Amino acid sequence: LCRSLVAKAEARDGGKFGTADARAAATRLARVLGEQGARDEAEPLLRGAFEACKRDDGAASASALEAARPLAALLLDLGHSHEALALRRETFEARREALGEDDRDTLACAVALAEVLTLAGRTDEAMPLLVDAQARAEAALGASAREAAAAANALAALHARTGDRAKAEPLVRKTFE
């Protein structure tokens, strides 16, 4: 079904990634392929959708941000942590430049970047990014904002990963208050 949707979108729109509908169909197909273990087939679809969003809507657009998420996850699954890291850094920098450091999407991108840094073993870079994201989210959006909770949870996971459970526990508790 997904393949036929992509084929119809290609025929109607003049290419796999010519419109938002075509990009959405390609992304759905990529997710199905990924779930079936055909990650090598999924990767060019996700990459093409991401590049088309950047080209058509701008690197800081919400569509580019949404397209970057499954691509970064797939790249991590494929063991391409450096490429996933570069992608997350690119989306974070674009959002920060376009929307400012206290924007919800910028803060979400900061947390996503820190999570990839953590997975890549670069906890020394992830820690200050998460501390800053949590502080900014709480100051700009309030302590109960989902962005503040996401930053606190990621920071708690990082503390736990580095063996500092004394710092992790209060952060986790804080998100449930």
Side-chain angles (χ1 to χ4, degrees):
L1 177 63
C2 287
R3 287 185 195 275
S4 68
L5 289 173
V6 170
K8 286 178 184 178
E10 286 176 352
R12 183 186 68 228
D13 302 330
K16 277 184 187 154
F17 312 111
T19 66
D21 286 345
R23 291 189 295 268
T27 300
R28 282 192 297 277
L29 175 58
R31 287 186 178 156
V32 169
L33 290 168
E35 290 170 4
Q36 293 175 344
R39 292 182 180 100
D40 290 338
E41 287 183 69
E43 188 268 336
L45 292 169
L46 292 174
R47 186 178 303 281
F50 173 66
E51 293 299 330
C53 287
K54 284 191 336 184
R55 178 193 68 230
D56 297 345
D57 304 331
S61 68
S63 65
L65 176 63
E66 287 301 315
R69 286 186 179 128
L71 177 57
L74 180 65
L75 290 170
L76 285 172
D77 285 347
L78 292 171
H80 304 300
S81 60
H82 293 312
E83 195 173 356
L85 181 57
L87 176 63
R88 284 298 190 191
R89 194 176 304 277
E90 176 186 349
T91 57
F92 170 63
E93 295 295 337
R95 295 301 276 193
R96 185 169 65 179
E97 185 178 314
L99 303 173
E101 293 194 359
D102 297 335
D103 176 76
R104 287 182 185 277
D105 287 338
T106 302
L107 293 165
C109 285
V111 171
L113 172 58
E115 289 171 341
V116 175
L117 284 165
T118 300
L119 290 172
R122 296 167 67 172
T123 57
D124 56 325
E125 293 177 62
M127 186 75 69
L129 189 60
L130 287 172
V131 169
D132 183 62
Q134 181 190 15
R136 286 182 180 284
E138 287 181 1
L141 307 169
S144 62
R146 70 178 182 275
E147 293 79 8
N153 283 332
L155 187 56
L158 179 56
H159 283 307
R161 183 180 182 121
T162 59
D164 195 347
R165 298 202 187 287
K167 287 185 180 176
E169 184 179 340
L171 289 167
V172 172
R173 288 185 184 280
K174 184 177 183 177
T175 62
F176 290 108
E177 293 175 351

